């Protein structure tokens, strides 16, 4: 946030002392960073570890498989969504449903193929939907924080030049923002782990609200 303000020319920010004091409080146990994945020397080793992950018991019980990621492991551009959908969970590959088809067409319009970029999600397992009629829900902040080490290690291996965050949930999860204002943030550069990050709409949003302005 501060880097973004500085990029817009701001040199000072006002902070409520009460809010500032929160930075000095210990994190609640549920927000403590989980143990990092075991050391590995390659993306295939990391994938093997991720496919066997059992950190979130409720997700392990409901998932068909872990959806690790797909594409060029030395890609310049990394696309990050929020979590796998039903089609992704069935095939073990991110963005293979209707939203994935739209993303593929968007890449083609940029003279890119899926094989040239890398596509993944913050959460590697499909969110469970117990006792709900709706078969989809957004991942929680705790679930994304628990799973974020896998993404961090992917970034370490890929070393992308640019990260594109797809949708407000992915933007909020990456930048640790609650209710990220995606309409205002898209088109504005941010930084994630030292890498330029561009927020934009999730393809699923465009499927429902396909206007020239949104495009």
């Amino acid at each position: 946030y501060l880097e973004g303000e500085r990029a817009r020319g701001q040199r000072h920010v006002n902070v409520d002392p009460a809010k500032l004091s929160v930075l000095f409080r210990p994190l609640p146990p549920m927000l403590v960073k989980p143990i990092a994945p075991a050391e590995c020397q390659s993306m295939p080793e990391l994938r093997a570890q991720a496919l066997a992950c059992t950190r979130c018991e409720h997700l392990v019980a409901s998932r068909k498989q872990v959806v690790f990621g797909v594409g060029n492991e030395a890609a310049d551009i990394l696309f990050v969504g929020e979590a796998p959908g039903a089609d992704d969970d069935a095939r073990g590959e991110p963005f293979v449903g209707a939203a994935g088809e739209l993303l593929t067409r968007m890449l083609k319009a940029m003279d890119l193929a899926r094989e040239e970029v890398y596509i993944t999600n913050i959460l590697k397992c499909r969110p469970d939907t117990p006792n709900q009629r709706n078969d989809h829900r957004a991942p929680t902040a705790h679930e994304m924080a628990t799973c974020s080490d896998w993404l961090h290690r992917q970034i370490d291996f890929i070393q992308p030049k640019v990260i594109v965050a797809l949708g407000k949930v992915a933007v909020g999860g990456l930048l640790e923002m609650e209710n990220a204002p995606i309409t205002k943030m898209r088109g504005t550069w941010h930084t994630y782990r030292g890498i330029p990050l561009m927020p934009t709409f999730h393809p699923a949003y465009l499927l429902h609200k396909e206007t020239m302005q949104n495009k």
Side-chain angles (χ1 to χ4, degrees):
Y1 170 78
L2 293 175
E3 289 173 347
E5 290 296 288
R6 183 170 60 184
R8 285 188 282 273
Q10 296 294 330
R11 292 293 176 267
H12 299 85
V13 293
N14 295 320
V15 182
D16 184 334
K19 292 183 178 179
L20 191 62
S21 67
V22 174
L23 296 175
F24 298 94
R25 298 177 188 170
L27 286 174
M30 68 174 293
L31 295 181
V32 173
K33 187 176 181 180
I35 299 174
E39 288 298 323
C40 54
Q41 303 302 316
S42 67
M43 188 77 90
E45 288 184 37
L46 183 65
R47 176 188 290 271
Q49 290 183 21
L51 295 183
C53 180
T54 58
R55 290 179 180 177
C56 304
E57 294 183 1
H58 61 297
L59 300 184
V60 173
S62 63
R63 75 187 183 200
K64 288 184 172 65
Q65 55 191 315
V66 174
V67 182
F68 182 72
V70 67
N72 182 0
E73 296 178 0
D76 288 338
I77 307 176
L78 170 64
F79 288 86
V80 180
E82 55 183 73
D87 294 329
D88 308 343
D89 184 44
R91 288 181 51 179
E93 180 177 331
F95 286 88
V96 295
E101 292 177 2
L102 178 56
L103 177 60
T104 299
R105 295 200 302 271
M106 293 164 68
L107 289 171
K108 185 177 181 180
M110 299 163 59
D111 292 326
L112 291 170
R114 286 175 67 100
E115 295 76 17
E116 296 178 71
V117 302
Y118 198 88
I119 304 171
T120 189
N121 291 297
I122 301 178
L123 193 65
K124 307 305 185 189
C125 296
R126 183 190 179 201
D128 62 334
T129 53
N131 302 319
Q132 293 186 21
R133 292 182 180 179
N134 189 353
D135 63 355
H136 174 77
R137 71 165 174 84
T140 67
H142 177 51
E143 287 170 341
M144 290 191 288
T146 302
C147 202
S148 63
D149 278 329
W150 300 115
L151 177 62
H152 293 168
R153 296 295 293 277
Q154 286 176 306
I155 292 173
D156 290 340
F157 282 120
I158 298 169
Q159 296 187 359
K161 295 180 180 178
V162 172
I163 297 173
V164 179
L166 299 169
K168 65 177 295 181
V169 176
V171 174
L174 291 170
L175 300 181
E176 298 182 2
M177 299 176 62
E178 187 174 355
N179 296 321
I182 185 63
T183 302
K184 295 181 179 179
M185 293 180 68
R186 71 183 185 116
T188 302
W189 287 106
H190 296 262
T191 302
Y192 181 72
R193 292 171 61 84
I195 302 170
L197 180 144
M198 176 58 70
T200 191
F201 288 136
H202 193 285
Y205 175 83
L206 296 176
L207 287 175
H208 298 292
K209 297 187 178 182
E210 186 175 351
T211 66
M212 291 306 298
Q213 181 179 6
N214 288 344
K215 285 183 177 181

